[in-house]
Amino acid sequence: MFLEFLRGFFETLPRPSFAGHQNRRAGHLRRAALLAAFLVLTRPVRGDDPYFVTYSHHMEEPGNLEVGFNPSFAKPKGGNSFLGTLTEYEYGTRAWWTTEFYLEGAAVRNEGSAFTGYRIENRIRPLAGSHWINPVFYFEFEDINAANKSLKEVVGFDSQSDLAEPVSEARQEKERELELKLILGSDFKGWNLSENFVAERNLTHEPWEFGYAVGASRPLALEASPEECTFCRENFRVGLEMYGGLGDAHHFTARGTSHYLAPMVSWELPGGVTLRLSPGFGLTPHSVRTVLRVGVSYEIQDFGRKVRKLLH
Amino acid sequence: MKTSIRWVLKILMVLTFTSGFIYGAAPNHSDHFSNVPSSMLAKANPYSGHPQAVLAGKKLFDHHCSACHGRGAEGSGRAPSLKGDVIQYTAPGAILWFLKKGDLKHSMPAWSQLPEPTLWQIVTYLKTLP
């Protein structure tokens, strides 16, 4: 029914030609409509790791696009409760190279909401094959403001007082930063163990800041069942991650920094959508007491090739 | 500050070139199974002949492999066919080894994130292909 509706809708759109400006515009409109329909109709496949902060060495499959929406809820001491949002678009450029783009926003109770910036990152896996420890290099440029509340990473002396700052003031403070990560990952008997070492620097001032994230996860079942199912154990993955700041280049220390411990569960639905949930608990007085993270993502197979086909 | 940015750029360049060399040394398609460790060659498939494992393997293949290798493993512009002699005459342990390590240079992902029993189920399915 829906397919028929779409077919009918496309038939009503004029076909592109080189006859004139109006027809060219109609062509663009048709392509945009086809792309939108493609995004709706493409069969998504399963997501992978359940982590919110920790990166594993698993790369996005080449040509696939994963779209994710990851809101975080928290209430810092002395501030209003907030919702930090992170929308991610992860594309497998090559089997050894993944590119990701993030858009971020924040909504704070009694203060309103704001767009808080974007990030572009690339992950490169330098070694072919699978090893006991698999390194991945991560390079990110971020152009965000201090109202950002996505808590995508914790570095330096980040604390809950930063999150309590009023949005109207914090959004004036620009943060153009370069972030490097060394990601180490291992897979053993169904377990994934991942360790990240983070170095971040504001490009205009301030010293390098450091942080870490470690995580472990495992599916509830190691064997797949023969039929498609919703509540099978193989569709659930549980894990634990810990992350925090390690001071900066002047004071490399864990003192005065915030640290979090977060159990998590992910559920891969047969339709291909993955749901994730993680309550995180602050471990130091500088951390927010509780952060609740929710994630919804799906992966579009062979996205790159299909888009190229559509546009040619 | 400028000096440190220059250093970061230098490091990025070195990493990029290093990864290029490593990938340059990766084997081509014809060599996929030439370096299989003997321990892997000797591994027996614990699911061999299990009809349930074939069904599970087919389901996993549809989820993870069919986008590149085709719905019936007949191959596509992106990846070769898995039907025929190569898979049939290759030791199951060698296929498992290859699935785990992938061939990143030729766009074959490393599937080490899938647990070994799951990979064996895929191998079991591949062995039933004509």
Side-chain angles (χ1 to χ4, degrees), chain B residues 15-93:
Chain B
L15 292 176
T16 308
F17 284 117
T18 313
S19 56
F21 279 120
I22 291 164
Y23 282 96
N28 63 36
H29 283 286
S30 59
D31 295 333
H32 281 156
F33 302 107
S34 61
N35 296 319
V36 185
S38 51
S39 58
M40 292 302 290
L41 278 173
K43 271 197 171 184
N45 181 355
Y47 296 94
S48 182
H50 291 198
Q52 295 291 300
V54 175
L55 290 173
K58 168 86 172 79
K59 183 180 87 171
L60 292 162
F61 181 89
D62 287 345
H63 285 162
H64 300 295
C65 319
S66 64
C68 295
H69 290 284
R71 267 305 206 205
E74 68 281 356
S76 72
R78 298 178 67 196
S81 167
L82 300 175
K83 291 179 167 176
D85 291 350
V86 176
I87 294 295
Q88 293 310 315
Y89 292 114
T90 302

Side-chain angles (χ1 to χ4, degrees), chain A residues 43 46 58 61-62 95-96 125-126 130 139 178 187 201 203 222-228 234 301-302, chain B residues 1 4 8 12 15 22-23 47 52 55-56 59 63 67 78 100-101 104 107 111-113 117-118 121:
Chain A
R43 180 181 158 274
R46 295 163 172 239
H58 305 143
E61 288 139 43
W96 49 272
R125 190 168 161 170
S130 189
F139 315 102
L178 178 70
D187 293 306
R201 174 162 191 159
L203 291 175
L222 301 183
E223 283 179 8
S225 55
E227 66 284 330
E228 294 286 352
E234 77 202 56
Q301 282 189 336
D302 211 5
Chain B
M1 211 283 290
S4 57
V8 169
L12 290 181
L15 292 176
I22 291 164
Y23 282 96
Y47 296 94
Q52 295 291 300
L55 290 173
K59 183 180 87 171
H63 285 162
R78 298 178 67 196
K100 273 187 179 178
K101 84 174 187 70
L104 302 188
S107 295
W111 289 103
S112 61
Q113 73 264 36
T118 303
Q121 289 176 315

Side-chain angles (χ1 to χ4, degrees), chain A residues 119-168:
Chain A
R119 299 167 196 251
I120 299 168
E121 56 121 309
N122 285 284
R123 299 200 299 279
I124 290 173
R125 190 168 161 170
L127 298 180
S130 189
H131 307 272
W132 274 101
I133 296 175
N134 300 280
V136 172
F137 301 123
Y138 173 110
F139 315 102
E140 180 190 282
F141 170 74
E142 56 190 59
D143 186 350
I144 57 175
N145 58 51
N148 191 289
K149 298 180 194 304
S150 64
L151 288 166
K152 189 176 168 291
E153 75 275 308
V154 176
V155 292
F157 295 96
D158 288 352
S159 78
Q160 62 174 330
S161 60
D162 302 328
L163 299 167
E165 206 178 329
V167 172
S168 54

Side-chain angles (χ1 to χ4, degrees), chain A residues 222-241:
Chain A
L222 301 183
E223 283 179 8
S225 55
E227 66 284 330
E228 294 286 352
C229 49
T230 305
F231 296 101
C232 326
R233 289 192 303 150
E234 77 202 56
N235 291 345
F236 291 89
R237 200 171 173 103
V238 292
L240 186 71
E241 67 181 343

Side-chain angles (χ1 to χ4, degrees), chain A residues 210-264:
Chain A
F210 304 107
Y212 72 94
V214 291
S217 69
R218 184 189 189 276
L220 289 183
L222 301 183
E223 283 179 8
S225 55
E227 66 284 330
E228 294 286 352
C229 49
T230 305
F231 296 101
C232 326
R233 289 192 303 150
E234 77 202 56
N235 291 345
F236 291 89
R237 200 171 173 103
V238 292
L240 186 71
E241 67 181 343
M242 185 173 169
Y243 50 92
L246 292 172
D248 59 28
H250 299 320
H251 300 97
F252 187 77
T253 175
R255 252 188 220 168
T257 59
S258 39
H259 300 266
Y260 295 88
L261 187 68
M264 71 204 67

